[in-house]
Amino acid sequence: MLTSSNTSSRIRWGALPLRLMIGFGFAAHGYAKLSKGPEKFADILQTLHVPAPLLSAWTTMVVELVGGLMLMAGAFVAVVSIPLAIVMLTAILTVHWRYGFSSIKLMGVTESGAQFGPPGYELNLLYIAGLIALALGGPGPLSLDGFLAHRKKRDPP
């Protein structure tokens, strides 16, 4: 039989895989941009007419990499979700919107494998939805935020 405390605990633990996967996704994308060189990403941003492309490239890389690591650690989840969501909204508006909703567009299959078209904004919306769920529901167990909250309750000033 499911009790309300049992359900509450299950819901709290549900945040952990969500936080880890979203955080890893952001960190991996930030690291990939950084490892290829900020100048290469800045060139892409310049082609998209993003203002201050080198500054925007560095800002995006740092937000994705550091923000992703902070999400995985469960550190300041509600706060770090804001710049991460802004990065996703910017990606939707500058790149993905013109390709429609679907992130997977099978164009055909050749002897070398499946051929896909450009991705739409579906995945960006999933990231944003996950960030909202984490910001509203909290980071769950095994998080730095949870550890700090527990410590604050235990050791009042």
Side-chain angles (χ1 to χ4, degrees):
M1 180 173 179
L2 291 177
T3 64
S4 63
S5 67
N6 187 353
T7 301
S8 176
S9 176
R10 287 181 33 233
I11 290 170
R12 284 183 22 80
W13 277 98
L16 181 62
L18 184 63
R19 194 182 80 223
L20 292 174
M21 191 61 235
I22 292 173
F24 180 79
F26 275 110
H29 284 274
Y31 179 76
K33 289 175 180 83
L34 185 62
S35 67
K36 291 177 184 172
E39 297 78 17
K40 291 210 186 262
F41 185 49
D43 289 344
I44 293 168
L45 295 178
Q46 185 169 7
T47 302
L48 294 168
H49 306 292
V50 172
L54 189 58
L55 177 62
S56 296
W58 273 104
T59 302
T60 301
M61 287 184 292
V62 169
V63 166
E64 287 181 343
L65 184 58
V66 174
L69 293 172
M70 290 177 75
L71 275 182
M72 286 191 287
F76 311 104
V77 169
V79 174
V80 80
S81 292
I82 295 168
L84 290 170
I86 290 169
V87 166
M88 287 292 98
L89 286 170
T90 303
I92 288 171
L93 295 173
T94 59
V95 178
H96 302 285
W97 185 261
R98 72 188 94 200
Y99 302 119
F101 176 76
S102 183
S103 286
I104 300 174
K105 294 184 181 79
L106 181 62
M107 304 301 279
V109 179
T110 66
E111 288 182 23
S112 62
Q115 305 296 310
F116 297 97
Y121 53 89
E122 176 183 11
L123 187 58
N124 303 88
L125 290 179
L126 286 170
Y127 270 98
I128 292 168
L131 290 169
I132 291 169
L134 290 170
L136 294 176
L142 301 178
S143 67
L144 185 59
D145 286 351
F147 172 77
L148 294 174
H150 178 72
R151 188 171 165 196
K152 189 175 184 178
K153 280 184 205 176
R154 191 188 68 199
D155 302 332

